[in-house]
Amino acid sequence: MRTLGIVQARMGSSRLPGKVLRRLGGRTVLCRVVGAARDSGVLDDLVVATTTEEVDDPVVAECEAIGVGVHRGPVDDVLSRFLGVLDAGADDYDAVLRFTADCPLLDPELIMLAAGVFAATPSLDYLSTSIARTLPRGLDVEIVRTEVLREIDKLATEHHRTHVTSYVYSHPHDYNVLGLTLQPDLSHLRLTLDTEDDWRLIEAVVAHFGDRPVPVRALAGWLAGRPELTVLNAHVRQKELAQA
């Protein structure tokens, strides 16, 4: 199975503008996401999908600096951005692993696991760890068959175009969708970057573990003994699908 990784990244954020290029442990947040995706060892190629807006010129510059391909497309129509990446490539891919650039603690082992399950199940159209969430927010993995991504271009409207894959998992009677869960349930942890309080927690993690990916069990075990850190962003609520 040939797999393409696409990282969606832009400077605009209603709650934390410019978060993808904040420096964390000597690297930008975007660089850490790209590094984790590559470290999984399951990708045939990786591209960052950003926007055509001038404000995202620094994202393009960072991609050039860290040696990752970049494609530019519409701001809110992220599905079109993803399809633009596919159309611009010289190779055909069977599946797309979707990443967002606000997950600097991404675990390469989880990416490898999800990709392995997907590859071993040829009938699957879509797999995600967030359908029935047991992982911390910020460590989720999702993979979609390329032909399905192209098909929903004709069907997806409004927020489904912003969220790329939401049309697929919102129509489980039309597609073969698998929710991958892992134990123990660590869904109470919030490890994504969307607010200053998220940043304070993630900074503390990186200050302790250094500039390397941390397996989810090790990270959760360390945080279990530090409630003063997990309480930092416990009050943050994720935006609803139609709002984000």
Side-chain angles (χ1 to χ4, degrees):
M1 185 180 75
R2 288 186 55 76
T3 305
L4 173 67
I6 302 180
V7 182
Q8 61 187 75
R10 66 188 185 96
M11 295 294 282
S13 167
S14 59
R15 295 202 277 191
L16 197 62
K19 60 185 178 181
V20 301
L21 293 188
R22 283 195 175 198
R23 300 198 70 80
L24 187 62
R27 293 189 290 163
T28 64
V29 169
L30 175 58
C31 183
R32 291 181 66 91
V33 174
V34 166
R38 284 174 166 167
D39 287 348
S40 70
V42 301
L43 300 177
D44 293 285
D45 199 5
L46 181 67
V47 177
V48 173
T50 191
T51 84
T52 54
E53 299 292 301
E54 185 177 350
V55 69
D56 286 318
D57 288 350
V59 174
V60 175
E62 173 67 0
C63 290
E64 293 172 351
I66 63 179
V68 63
V70 62
H71 174 82
R72 308 188 79 163
V75 175
D76 295 320
D77 191 349
V78 190
L79 175 57
S80 286
R81 258 193 265 165
F82 273 54
L83 294 171
V85 173
L86 291 171
D87 292 341
D91 297 321
D92 292 327
Y93 295 96
D94 302 298
V96 171
L97 265 161
R98 175 187 176 228
F99 304 100
T100 58
D102 54 2
C103 300
L105 300 180
L106 199 60
D107 182 355
E109 293 181 8
L110 293 177
I111 302 170
M112 181 174 61
L113 175 62
V117 173
F118 190 87
T121 317
S123 62
L124 278 182
D125 293 317
Y126 175 81
L127 177 148
S128 174
T129 59
S130 61
I131 292 175
R133 180 181 300 283
T134 57
L135 288 174
R137 189 177 294 278
L139 298 187
D140 286 308
V141 183
E142 61 176 329
I143 183 167
V144 60
R145 202 162 295 283
T146 302
E147 62 190 50
V148 171
L149 205 57
R150 292 192 181 281
E151 179 183 316
I152 65 171
D153 185 35
K154 307 178 185 68
L155 304 170
T157 59
E158 298 177 340
H159 65 272
H160 288 311
R161 301 199 69 85
T162 303
H163 293 280
V164 185
T165 56
S166 60
Y167 184 90
V168 181
Y169 60 77
S170 297
H171 294 78
H173 296 295
D174 299 326
Y175 300 99
N176 291 326
V177 173
L178 177 66
L180 181 65
T181 62
L182 293 92
Q183 296 300 318
D185 185 349
L186 301 173
S187 58
H188 61 285
L189 295 173
R190 178 181 171 85
L191 301 175
T192 190
L193 177 58
D194 199 32
T195 70
E196 286 289 353
D197 288 332
D198 293 332
W199 177 255
R200 291 166 63 198
L201 171 58
I202 291 171
E203 267 196 317
V205 169
V206 173
H208 176 77
F209 286 99
D211 190 29
R212 59 184 174 88
V214 184
V216 61
R217 290 176 185 271
L219 179 52
W222 182 75
L223 286 171
R226 290 161 179 80
E228 73 280 5
L229 293 181
T230 55
V231 75
L232 289 174
N233 64 351
H235 65 284
V236 179
R237 294 291 171 261
Q238 198 72 9
K239 294 179 182 178
E240 297 295 329
L241 191 64
Q243 297 175 326

